[in-house]
Amino acid sequence: MSTREEPANLGKVLSFLREWDRGDRTVRGRMLNTFLSQHKGKSFCELECEFAQVSSLFLARLTTWMRLTYMFGTCLGLQLSAIGIFLSASGHDQYLVEFLEDGGVLTLLDVLSHTQSREEDKADALRLLLTVSNAGRKYKEIICESHGVKVIADCLDRSNTEEAQETVGALLESLSHGNPKYQNQIYKSLITLMACSSPRAQQLVLHTLHIVQSRTKATHHSIVEPLLNMLRSLHLEVQDEAVTLILGLKCYDVRSALLSGLVALLRPINKEAKQHQSAEEAETITIMTGSLPVFVQQAAAAKAIRLLAEEDEKVSRELLSLGAIQHLLCALGNREHTDAQIQASLALEHFVRSFPVIEEHVQKVMGNTLFAAFMHQAETLYMNLDETQAEILLTNEVNISAALDGD
């Protein structure tokens, strides 16, 4: 095809289309490579000029060929790239409408679902779906009506490349924006996706969920358990996103459940060990038992509690009424995990300095010498704990309800 500025001769365009119709995979691959090199970034008007106002005929051929051959991977990357030139052409949405009318969205979703599709082809298909979604509400609804949310979510769960995962995150965020009819479906899908195995995918899901949640007036209680489970992650970036989302949920109706869950995590119970113990044995155990993820979760819960308390005094009082002081003292006694001790100590310091009525209770448990060290530098208190002091903290029975009522 000519790349000159003047309108192309219709006869040359028709000759190009005949060559395409008669060509095999090799010929069409060569033609697509030429098309990509000559037309990348062109506008609707420029493409129409190049194709003598019949460029839609070529787009229809591309879409049909992809629909018939995507399961074999025949030039799929070239097909997706060429279609991308049409869909991203500025100045008009004619190509987008024609692509949808030819079943283009369904084909892209089929590419994502096909187990033999290459990761790079899935990433290209996701980018095209993102282009469709960004075009407006009616296009978002078409994707969702085609069961696209489930397919896209499944793609994230199975994907093993960051490129595809990041595009899924951007696509789900785009689909949720300005799409009230399907916003709740996308929100619930994101909650389900927190259970995926890839740390990068978990981080993206939490980040996207935070953005979607900020646009949603209500929450779903199913978010609490998987969100608290995210605090077990050994990847700091996942933990940070989870804590950020928890902080963002403090004004929603799941707050009580989240706060109760966080306080409970400060005193973890090893479920596997508990299954092999009698009730009497479980009651007499005073050592902190658990695996590394459980202790990581304990530390993250203490950190989240501190950040929540620092932001809102009302939340602080609610945490205190749930027994946060007793449980933080218990976490401070966990000599199996230093970070849990540090985070618990920092949270305790905030409560002691914010509510003077708590001071005498904490001092009574710690003893004067340890309490003085705590008030001097809470972050390093764990270094001063001996086995006997840790045992006292682990078995403390502090109850500050009466003190709070008096305050």
Side-chain angles (χ1 to χ4, degrees), residues 183-184 187 191 208-224 227 243-260 308 311-312 314-315 318:
Q183 189 177 61
N184 195 45
Y187 175 67
I191 292 175
T208 307
L209 192 51
H210 180 62
I211 295 173
V212 173
Q213 184 66 73
S214 66
R215 300 171 183 155
T216 308
K217 294 182 179 179
T219 54
H220 199 279
H221 280 268
S222 62
I223 195 175
V224 175
L227 178 54
V243 171
T244 298
L245 181 54
I246 288 172
L247 295 177
L249 289 170
K250 71 178 185 294
C251 297
Y252 290 83
D253 58 357
V254 295
R255 182 174 79 184
S256 294
L258 273 175
L259 297 184
S260 298
L308 284 164
E311 284 190 359
D312 193 316
K314 186 177 180 181
V315 173
E318 190 171 344

mmCIF file of all heavy atoms in Angstrom, residues 183-184 187 191 208-224 227 243-260 308 311-312 314-315 318:
data_model
loop_
_atom_site.group_PDB
_atom_site.id
_atom_site.type_symbol
_atom_site.label_atom_id
_atom_site.label_comp_id
_atom_site.label_asym_id
_atom_site.label_seq_id
_atom_site.Cartn_x
_atom_site.Cartn_y
_atom_site.Cartn_z
ATOM 1 N N GLN A 183 -20.604 -2.617 38.396
ATOM 2 C CA GLN A 183 -19.576 -2.277 39.387
ATOM 3 C C GLN A 183 -19.524 -3.286 40.526
ATOM 4 O O GLN A 183 -18.432 -3.695 40.964
ATOM 5 C CB GLN A 183 -19.841 -0.875 39.931
ATOM 6 C CG GLN A 183 -18.712 -0.352 40.802
ATOM 7 C CD GLN A 183 -18.962 1.070 41.261
ATOM 8 O OE1 GLN A 183 -19.941 1.341 41.957
ATOM 9 N NE2 GLN A 183 -18.109 1.994 40.860
ATOM 10 N N ASN A 184 -20.679 -3.724 41.003
ATOM 11 C CA ASN A 184 -20.712 -4.663 42.116
ATOM 12 C C ASN A 184 -20.122 -6.024 41.722
ATOM 13 O O ASN A 184 -19.426 -6.672 42.513
ATOM 14 C CB ASN A 184 -22.149 -4.847 42.613
ATOM 15 C CG ASN A 184 -22.203 -5.506 43.979
ATOM 16 O OD1 ASN A 184 -21.443 -5.140 44.871
ATOM 17 N ND2 ASN A 184 -23.101 -6.456 44.149
ATOM 18 N N TYR A 187 -16.410 -5.646 41.740
ATOM 19 C CA TYR A 187 -15.961 -5.545 43.132
ATOM 20 C C TYR A 187 -15.860 -6.932 43.767
ATOM 21 O O TYR A 187 -14.849 -7.279 44.392
ATOM 22 C CB TYR A 187 -16.953 -4.661 43.883
ATOM 23 C CG TYR A 187 -16.725 -4.527 45.374
ATOM 24 C CD1 TYR A 187 -15.611 -3.878 45.873
ATOM 25 C CD2 TYR A 187 -17.650 -5.029 46.280
ATOM 26 C CE1 TYR A 187 -15.406 -3.738 47.238
ATOM 27 C CE2 TYR A 187 -17.463 -4.893 47.643
ATOM 28 C CZ TYR A 187 -16.337 -4.244 48.117
ATOM 29 O OH TYR A 187 -16.151 -4.114 49.462
ATOM 30 N N ILE A 191 -12.518 -9.250 45.123
ATOM 31 C CA ILE A 191 -12.427 -9.888 46.440
ATOM 32 C C ILE A 191 -12.007 -11.349 46.287
ATOM 33 O O ILE A 191 -11.128 -11.848 46.997
ATOM 34 C CB ILE A 191 -13.766 -9.784 47.193
ATOM 35 C CG1 ILE A 191 -14.056 -8.322 47.563
ATOM 36 C CG2 ILE A 191 -13.762 -10.659 48.444
ATOM 37 C CD1 ILE A 191 -15.411 -8.100 48.198
ATOM 38 N N THR A 208 -6.105 -2.239 43.073
ATOM 39 C CA THR A 208 -7.306 -1.977 42.276
ATOM 40 C C THR A 208 -8.544 -1.970 43.150
ATOM 41 O O THR A 208 -9.439 -1.128 42.981
ATOM 42 C CB THR A 208 -7.448 -3.044 41.170
ATOM 43 O OG1 THR A 208 -6.235 -3.112 40.407
ATOM 44 C CG2 THR A 208 -8.606 -2.705 40.241
ATOM 45 N N LEU A 209 -8.596 -2.883 44.098
ATOM 46 C CA LEU A 209 -9.742 -2.959 45.006
ATOM 47 C C LEU A 209 -9.864 -1.686 45.835
ATOM 48 O O LEU A 209 -10.975 -1.204 46.096
ATOM 49 C CB LEU A 209 -9.591 -4.175 45.916
ATOM 50 C CG LEU A 209 -10.791 -4.615 46.754
ATOM 51 C CD1 LEU A 209 -12.043 -4.762 45.904
ATOM 52 C CD2 LEU A 209 -10.487 -5.922 47.451
ATOM 53 N N HIS A 210 -8.734 -1.123 46.228
ATOM 54 C CA HIS A 210 -8.745 0.129 46.988
ATOM 55 C C HIS A 210 -9.350 1.254 46.150
ATOM 56 O O HIS A 210 -10.149 2.071 46.649
ATOM 57 C CB HIS A 210 -7.323 0.488 47.413
ATOM 58 C CG HIS A 210 -7.214 1.750 48.202
ATOM 59 N ND1 HIS A 210 -7.829 1.918 49.427
ATOM 60 C CD2 HIS A 210 -6.588 2.924 47.935
ATOM 61 C CE1 HIS A 210 -7.567 3.132 49.891
ATOM 62 N NE2 HIS A 210 -6.823 3.762 48.999
ATOM 63 N N ILE A 211 -8.986 1.302 44.877
ATOM 64 C CA ILE A 211 -9.522 2.335 43.978
ATOM 65 C C ILE A 211 -11.020 2.127 43.752
ATOM 66 O O ILE A 211 -11.815 3.066 43.836
ATOM 67 C CB ILE A 211 -8.772 2.311 42.632
ATOM 68 C CG1 ILE A 211 -7.306 2.706 42.838
ATOM 69 C CG2 ILE A 211 -9.438 3.240 41.623
ATOM 70 C CD1 ILE A 211 -6.443 2.543 41.613
ATOM 71 N N VAL A 212 -11.404 0.876 43.490
ATOM 72 C CA VAL A 212 -12.822 0.568 43.262
ATOM 73 C C VAL A 212 -13.634 0.849 44.524
ATOM 74 O O VAL A 212 -14.743 1.395 44.463
ATOM 75 C CB VAL A 212 -12.982 -0.904 42.818
ATOM 76 C CG1 VAL A 212 -14.454 -1.284 42.734
ATOM 77 C CG2 VAL A 212 -12.301 -1.126 41.473
ATOM 78 N N GLN A 213 -13.079 0.487 45.688
ATOM 79 C CA GLN A 213 -13.786 0.709 46.949
ATOM 80 C C GLN A 213 -14.053 2.192 47.190
ATOM 81 O O GLN A 213 -15.099 2.575 47.721
ATOM 82 C CB GLN A 213 -12.960 0.143 48.106
ATOM 83 C CG GLN A 213 -13.640 0.234 49.462
ATOM 84 C CD GLN A 213 -14.879 -0.633 49.545
ATOM 85 O OE1 GLN A 213 -14.794 -1.848 49.614
ATOM 86 N NE2 GLN A 213 -16.050 -0.018 49.529
ATOM 87 N N SER A 214 -13.116 3.039 46.781
ATOM 88 C CA SER A 214 -13.288 4.477 46.989
ATOM 89 C C SER A 214 -14.450 5.035 46.173
ATOM 90 O O SER A 214 -14.975 6.105 46.481
ATOM 91 C CB SER A 214 -11.996 5.217 46.623
ATOM 92 O OG SER A 214 -11.727 5.121 45.232
ATOM 93 N N ARG A 215 -14.845 4.294 45.147
ATOM 94 C CA ARG A 215 -15.982 4.729 44.315
ATOM 95 C C ARG A 215 -17.286 4.075 44.742
ATOM 96 O O ARG A 215 -18.348 4.400 44.211
ATOM 97 C CB ARG A 215 -15.714 4.375 42.850
ATOM 98 C CG ARG A 215 -14.469 4.999 42.251
ATOM 99 C CD ARG A 215 -14.219 4.393 40.879
ATOM 100 N NE ARG A 215 -12.999 4.916 40.283
ATOM 101 C CZ ARG A 215 -12.278 4.273 39.372
ATOM 102 N NH1 ARG A 215 -12.664 3.066 38.979
ATOM 103 N NH2 ARG A 215 -11.189 4.812 38.874
ATOM 104 N N THR A 216 -17.189 3.128 45.673
ATOM 105 C CA THR A 216 -18.361 2.365 46.086
ATOM 106 C C THR A 216 -18.794 2.793 47.478
ATOM 107 O O THR A 216 -17.978 2.847 48.397
ATOM 108 C CB THR A 216 -18.038 0.853 46.102
ATOM 109 O OG1 THR A 216 -17.479 0.488 44.837
ATOM 110 C CG2 THR A 216 -19.287 0.032 46.356
ATOM 111 N N LYS A 217 -20.058 3.062 47.654
ATOM 112 C CA LYS A 217 -20.554 3.537 48.946
ATOM 113 C C LYS A 217 -20.676 2.405 49.968
ATOM 114 O O LYS A 217 -20.606 2.642 51.166
ATOM 115 C CB LYS A 217 -21.910 4.220 48.768
ATOM 116 C CG LYS A 217 -21.836 5.513 47.956
ATOM 117 C CD LYS A 217 -23.199 6.174 47.842
ATOM 118 C CE LYS A 217 -23.108 7.476 47.055
ATOM 119 N NZ LYS A 217 -24.434 8.133 46.919
ATOM 120 N N ALA A 218 -20.896 1.204 49.497
ATOM 121 C CA ALA A 218 -21.094 0.062 50.402
ATOM 122 C C ALA A 218 -19.932 -0.915 50.268
ATOM 123 O O ALA A 218 -19.129 -0.853 49.343
ATOM 124 C CB ALA A 218 -22.411 -0.630 50.085
ATOM 125 N N THR A 219 -19.849 -1.824 51.230
ATOM 126 C CA THR A 219 -18.847 -2.885 51.186
ATOM 127 C C THR A 219 -19.551 -4.227 51.290
ATOM 128 O O THR A 219 -20.731 -4.302 51.623
ATOM 129 C CB THR A 219 -17.858 -2.764 52.360
ATOM 130 O OG1 THR A 219 -18.597 -2.724 53.583
ATOM 131 C CG2 THR A 219 -17.007 -1.526 52.236
ATOM 132 N N HIS A 220 -18.808 -5.272 51.005
ATOM 133 C CA HIS A 220 -19.341 -6.617 51.147
ATOM 134 C C HIS A 220 -18.548 -7.313 52.251
ATOM 135 O O HIS A 220 -17.318 -7.274 52.271
ATOM 136 C CB HIS A 220 -19.208 -7.391 49.830
ATOM 137 C CG HIS A 220 -20.101 -8.587 49.750
ATOM 138 N ND1 HIS A 220 -19.773 -9.786 50.338
ATOM 139 C CD2 HIS A 220 -21.314 -8.764 49.177
ATOM 140 C CE1 HIS A 220 -20.749 -10.664 50.117
ATOM 141 N NE2 HIS A 220 -21.697 -10.068 49.420
ATOM 142 N N HIS A 221 -19.250 -7.951 53.187
ATOM 143 C CA HIS A 221 -18.569 -8.535 54.346
ATOM 144 C C HIS A 221 -17.615 -9.666 53.964
ATOM 145 O O HIS A 221 -16.751 -10.037 54.770
ATOM 146 C CB HIS A 221 -19.604 -9.023 55.367
ATOM 147 C CG HIS A 221 -20.152 -7.917 56.214
ATOM 148 N ND1 HIS A 221 -19.603 -7.564 57.423
ATOM 149 C CD2 HIS A 221 -21.170 -7.042 55.997
ATOM 150 C CE1 HIS A 221 -20.265 -6.547 57.943
ATOM 151 N NE2 HIS A 221 -21.231 -6.208 57.095
ATOM 152 N N SER A 222 -17.737 -10.187 52.759
ATOM 153 C CA SER A 222 -16.820 -11.248 52.328
ATOM 154 C C SER A 222 -15.398 -10.725 52.138
ATOM 155 O O SER A 222 -14.467 -11.511 51.944
ATOM 156 C CB SER A 222 -17.311 -11.880 51.028
ATOM 157 O OG SER A 222 -17.344 -10.922 49.979
ATOM 158 N N ILE A 223 -15.215 -9.417 52.199
ATOM 159 C CA ILE A 223 -13.882 -8.844 51.997
ATOM 160 C C ILE A 223 -12.994 -9.034 53.218
ATOM 161 O O ILE A 223 -11.769 -9.060 53.116
ATOM 162 C CB ILE A 223 -13.986 -7.330 51.653
ATOM 163 C CG1 ILE A 223 -12.658 -6.818 51.094
ATOM 164 C CG2 ILE A 223 -14.382 -6.503 52.880
ATOM 165 C CD1 ILE A 223 -12.707 -5.380 50.622
ATOM 166 N N VAL A 224 -13.584 -9.212 54.399
ATOM 167 C CA VAL A 224 -12.823 -9.170 55.652
ATOM 168 C C VAL A 224 -11.811 -10.312 55.758
ATOM 169 O O VAL A 224 -10.607 -10.083 55.961
ATOM 170 C CB VAL A 224 -13.774 -9.184 56.866
ATOM 171 C CG1 VAL A 224 -12.967 -9.268 58.165
ATOM 172 C CG2 VAL A 224 -14.649 -7.940 56.867
ATOM 173 N N LEU A 227 -8.940 -10.333 53.170
ATOM 174 C CA LEU A 227 -8.076 -9.163 53.371
ATOM 175 C C LEU A 227 -7.146 -9.377 54.561
ATOM 176 O O LEU A 227 -5.940 -9.082 54.485
ATOM 177 C CB LEU A 227 -8.941 -7.918 53.573
ATOM 178 C CG LEU A 227 -8.193 -6.606 53.834
ATOM 179 C CD1 LEU A 227 -7.173 -6.325 52.744
ATOM 180 C CD2 LEU A 227 -9.179 -5.449 53.935
ATOM 181 N N VAL A 243 -2.699 -3.250 54.209
ATOM 182 C CA VAL A 243 -2.872 -2.288 55.312
ATOM 183 C C VAL A 243 -3.521 -1.004 54.800
ATOM 184 O O VAL A 243 -4.411 -0.438 55.454
ATOM 185 C CB VAL A 243 -1.509 -1.989 55.975
ATOM 186 C CG1 VAL A 243 -1.639 -0.829 56.962
ATOM 187 C CG2 VAL A 243 -0.980 -3.228 56.691
ATOM 188 N N THR A 244 -3.107 -0.549 53.628
ATOM 189 C CA THR A 244 -3.711 0.656 53.042
ATOM 190 C C THR A 244 -5.204 0.466 52.820
ATOM 191 O O THR A 244 -6.010 1.366 53.105
ATOM 192 C CB THR A 244 -3.023 0.996 51.701
ATOM 193 O OG1 THR A 244 -1.637 1.265 51.937
ATOM 194 C CG2 THR A 244 -3.654 2.219 51.057
ATOM 195 N N LEU A 245 -5.592 -0.703 52.330
ATOM 196 C CA LEU A 245 -7.013 -0.974 52.110
ATOM 197 C C LEU A 245 -7.758 -1.045 53.440
ATOM 198 O O LEU A 245 -8.883 -0.533 53.556
ATOM 199 C CB LEU A 245 -7.179 -2.278 51.327
ATOM 200 C CG LEU A 245 -8.609 -2.707 50.992
ATOM 201 C CD1 LEU A 245 -9.373 -1.592 50.275
ATOM 202 C CD2 LEU A 245 -8.599 -3.967 50.131
ATOM 203 N N ILE A 246 -7.146 -1.657 54.452
ATOM 204 C CA ILE A 246 -7.772 -1.721 55.775
ATOM 205 C C ILE A 246 -8.016 -0.316 56.320
ATOM 206 O O ILE A 246 -9.097 -0.008 56.838
ATOM 207 C CB ILE A 246 -6.889 -2.539 56.742
ATOM 208 C CG1 ILE A 246 -6.947 -4.025 56.372
ATOM 209 C CG2 ILE A 246 -7.335 -2.348 58.194
ATOM 210 C CD1 ILE A 246 -5.957 -4.887 57.132
ATOM 211 N N LEU A 247 -7.032 0.563 56.173
ATOM 212 C CA LEU A 247 -7.195 1.944 56.634
ATOM 213 C C LEU A 247 -8.328 2.634 55.881
ATOM 214 O O LEU A 247 -9.086 3.422 56.456
ATOM 215 C CB LEU A 247 -5.889 2.720 56.433
ATOM 216 C CG LEU A 247 -4.678 2.263 57.262
ATOM 217 C CD1 LEU A 247 -3.437 3.077 56.892
ATOM 218 C CD2 LEU A 247 -4.964 2.393 58.745
ATOM 219 N N GLY A 248 -8.451 2.337 54.601
ATOM 220 C CA GLY A 248 -9.512 2.946 53.806
ATOM 221 C C GLY A 248 -10.901 2.441 54.152
ATOM 222 O O GLY A 248 -11.902 3.092 53.838
ATOM 223 N N LEU A 249 -10.985 1.286 54.816
ATOM 224 C CA LEU A 249 -12.277 0.682 55.148
ATOM 225 C C LEU A 249 -12.788 1.076 56.535
ATOM 226 O O LEU A 249 -13.848 0.628 56.944
ATOM 227 C CB LEU A 249 -12.184 -0.841 55.058
ATOM 228 C CG LEU A 249 -12.051 -1.429 53.649
ATOM 229 C CD1 LEU A 249 -11.726 -2.913 53.723
ATOM 230 C CD2 LEU A 249 -13.326 -1.210 52.841
ATOM 231 N N LYS A 250 -12.037 1.910 57.237
ATOM 232 C CA LYS A 250 -12.422 2.221 58.616
ATOM 233 C C LYS A 250 -13.729 3.018 58.710
ATOM 234 O O LYS A 250 -14.342 3.077 59.780
ATOM 235 C CB LYS A 250 -11.306 2.976 59.342
ATOM 236 C CG LYS A 250 -11.085 4.413 58.896
ATOM 237 C CD LYS A 250 -9.978 5.065 59.725
ATOM 238 C CE LYS A 250 -9.815 6.539 59.398
ATOM 239 N NZ LYS A 250 -9.341 6.770 58.032
ATOM 240 N N CYS A 251 -14.152 3.606 57.599
ATOM 241 C CA CYS A 251 -15.397 4.385 57.604
ATOM 242 C C CYS A 251 -16.575 3.601 57.017
ATOM 243 O O CYS A 251 -17.649 4.165 56.805
ATOM 244 C CB CYS A 251 -15.201 5.687 56.817
ATOM 245 S SG CYS A 251 -13.968 6.781 57.537
ATOM 246 N N TYR A 252 -16.357 2.319 56.739
ATOM 247 C CA TYR A 252 -17.413 1.497 56.144
ATOM 248 C C TYR A 252 -18.001 0.541 57.187
ATOM 249 O O TYR A 252 -17.489 0.419 58.308
ATOM 250 C CB TYR A 252 -16.863 0.703 54.955
ATOM 251 C CG TYR A 252 -16.540 1.555 53.747
ATOM 252 C CD1 TYR A 252 -15.321 2.223 53.656
ATOM 253 C CD2 TYR A 252 -17.447 1.703 52.694
ATOM 254 C CE1 TYR A 252 -15.015 3.012 52.543
ATOM 255 C CE2 TYR A 252 -17.152 2.482 51.585
ATOM 256 C CZ TYR A 252 -15.938 3.133 51.513
ATOM 257 O OH TYR A 252 -15.636 3.908 50.419
ATOM 258 N N ASP A 253 -19.068 -0.142 56.801
ATOM 259 C CA ASP A 253 -19.787 -0.979 57.765
ATOM 260 C C ASP A 253 -19.063 -2.270 58.139
ATOM 261 O O ASP A 253 -19.530 -3.020 58.991
ATOM 262 C CB ASP A 253 -21.197 -1.311 57.240
ATOM 263 C CG ASP A 253 -21.168 -2.014 55.898
ATOM 264 O OD1 ASP A 253 -20.068 -2.191 55.346
ATOM 265 O OD2 ASP A 253 -22.242 -2.387 55.394
ATOM 266 N N VAL A 254 -17.916 -2.529 57.532
ATOM 267 C CA VAL A 254 -17.138 -3.715 57.907
ATOM 268 C C VAL A 254 -16.091 -3.381 58.971
ATOM 269 O O VAL A 254 -15.293 -4.238 59.342
ATOM 270 C CB VAL A 254 -16.435 -4.338 56.671
ATOM 271 C CG1 VAL A 254 -17.450 -4.866 55.681
ATOM 272 C CG2 VAL A 254 -15.490 -3.339 56.020
ATOM 273 N N ARG A 255 -16.100 -2.150 59.451
ATOM 274 C CA ARG A 255 -15.060 -1.731 60.396
ATOM 275 C C ARG A 255 -15.015 -2.621 61.628
ATOM 276 O O ARG A 255 -13.944 -3.067 62.043
ATOM 277 C CB ARG A 255 -15.283 -0.275 60.815
ATOM 278 C CG ARG A 255 -14.186 0.219 61.753
ATOM 279 C CD ARG A 255 -14.301 1.679 62.055
ATOM 280 N NE ARG A 255 -15.331 1.970 63.056
ATOM 281 C CZ ARG A 255 -15.664 3.192 63.437
ATOM 282 N NH1 ARG A 255 -15.081 4.234 62.870
ATOM 283 N NH2 ARG A 255 -16.599 3.381 64.352
ATOM 284 N N SER A 256 -16.158 -2.873 62.233
ATOM 285 C CA SER A 256 -16.173 -3.671 63.468
ATOM 286 C C SER A 256 -15.574 -5.046 63.248
ATOM 287 O O SER A 256 -14.789 -5.543 64.067
ATOM 288 C CB SER A 256 -17.610 -3.796 63.992
ATOM 289 O OG SER A 256 -18.103 -2.536 64.390
ATOM 290 N N ALA A 257 -15.945 -5.672 62.140
ATOM 291 C CA ALA A 257 -15.414 -7.005 61.839
ATOM 292 C C ALA A 257 -13.907 -6.957 61.602
ATOM 293 O O ALA A 257 -13.164 -7.849 62.032
ATOM 294 C CB ALA A 257 -16.124 -7.584 60.620
ATOM 295 N N LEU A 258 -13.439 -5.913 60.918
ATOM 296 C CA LEU A 258 -12.006 -5.773 60.663
ATOM 297 C C LEU A 258 -11.231 -5.550 61.960
ATOM 298 O O LEU A 258 -10.189 -6.173 62.192
ATOM 299 C CB LEU A 258 -11.753 -4.608 59.700
ATOM 300 C CG LEU A 258 -11.809 -4.908 58.206
ATOM 301 C CD1 LEU A 258 -11.665 -3.618 57.410
ATOM 302 C CD2 LEU A 258 -10.730 -5.897 57.811
ATOM 303 N N LEU A 259 -11.740 -4.661 62.809
ATOM 304 C CA LEU A 259 -11.046 -4.370 64.061
ATOM 305 C C LEU A 259 -10.997 -5.605 64.956
ATOM 306 O O LEU A 259 -9.954 -5.916 65.553
ATOM 307 C CB LEU A 259 -11.727 -3.208 64.786
ATOM 308 C CG LEU A 259 -11.730 -1.851 64.059
ATOM 309 C CD1 LEU A 259 -12.344 -0.773 64.942
ATOM 310 C CD2 LEU A 259 -10.333 -1.446 63.629
ATOM 311 N N SER A 260 -12.116 -6.312 65.060
ATOM 312 C CA SER A 260 -12.140 -7.546 65.860
ATOM 313 C C SER A 260 -11.151 -8.565 65.316
ATOM 314 O O SER A 260 -10.435 -9.240 66.071
ATOM 315 C CB SER A 260 -13.542 -8.144 65.867
ATOM 316 O OG SER A 260 -14.473 -7.268 66.459
ATOM 317 N N LEU A 308 -4.320 2.724 62.466
ATOM 318 C CA LEU A 308 -5.737 3.052 62.634
ATOM 319 C C LEU A 308 -5.946 3.933 63.859
ATOM 320 O O LEU A 308 -6.701 4.922 63.810
ATOM 321 C CB LEU A 308 -6.551 1.765 62.777
ATOM 322 C CG LEU A 308 -6.804 0.965 61.500
ATOM 323 C CD1 LEU A 308 -7.269 -0.444 61.844
ATOM 324 C CD2 LEU A 308 -7.850 1.660 60.619
ATOM 325 N N GLU A 311 -4.863 7.539 63.428
ATOM 326 C CA GLU A 311 -5.711 8.339 62.545
ATOM 327 C C GLU A 311 -7.015 8.788 63.194
ATOM 328 O O GLU A 311 -7.576 9.808 62.821
ATOM 329 C CB GLU A 311 -6.037 7.549 61.270
ATOM 330 C CG GLU A 311 -4.897 7.464 60.275
ATOM 331 C CD GLU A 311 -5.358 6.892 58.940
ATOM 332 O OE1 GLU A 311 -6.561 6.551 58.814
ATOM 333 O OE2 GLU A 311 -4.532 6.801 58.023
ATOM 334 N N ASP A 312 -7.536 8.014 64.142
ATOM 335 C CA ASP A 312 -8.896 8.264 64.621
ATOM 336 C C ASP A 312 -9.037 7.833 66.084
ATOM 337 O O ASP A 312 -8.883 6.656 66.406
ATOM 338 C CB ASP A 312 -9.882 7.471 63.739
ATOM 339 C CG ASP A 312 -11.325 7.904 63.940
ATOM 340 O OD1 ASP A 312 -11.729 8.095 65.099
ATOM 341 O OD2 ASP A 312 -12.046 8.020 62.931
ATOM 342 N N LYS A 314 -11.742 7.742 67.866
ATOM 343 C CA LYS A 314 -12.917 6.883 68.035
ATOM 344 C C LYS A 314 -12.568 5.426 67.736
ATOM 345 O O LYS A 314 -12.997 4.503 68.452
ATOM 346 C CB LYS A 314 -14.050 7.349 67.113
ATOM 347 C CG LYS A 314 -15.355 6.604 67.322
ATOM 348 C CD LYS A 314 -16.447 7.183 66.430
ATOM 349 C CE LYS A 314 -17.765 6.423 66.637
ATOM 350 N NZ LYS A 314 -18.847 6.951 65.762
ATOM 351 N N VAL A 315 -11.780 5.214 66.681
ATOM 352 C CA VAL A 315 -11.317 3.867 66.355
ATOM 353 C C VAL A 315 -10.408 3.346 67.463
ATOM 354 O O VAL A 315 -10.463 2.165 67.830
ATOM 355 C CB VAL A 315 -10.583 3.861 64.996
ATOM 356 C CG1 VAL A 315 -9.957 2.498 64.725
ATOM 357 C CG2 VAL A 315 -11.544 4.215 63.863
ATOM 358 N N GLU A 318 -12.493 2.037 70.234
ATOM 359 C CA GLU A 318 -13.129 0.776 69.857
ATOM 360 C C GLU A 318 -12.137 -0.383 69.947
ATOM 361 O O GLU A 318 -12.475 -1.472 70.415
ATOM 362 C CB GLU A 318 -13.694 0.888 68.438
ATOM 363 C CG GLU A 318 -14.580 -0.275 68.041
ATOM 364 C CD GLU A 318 -15.314 -0.042 66.727
ATOM 365 O OE1 GLU A 318 -15.374 1.113 66.271
ATOM 366 O OE2 GLU A 318 -15.818 -1.022 66.162
#
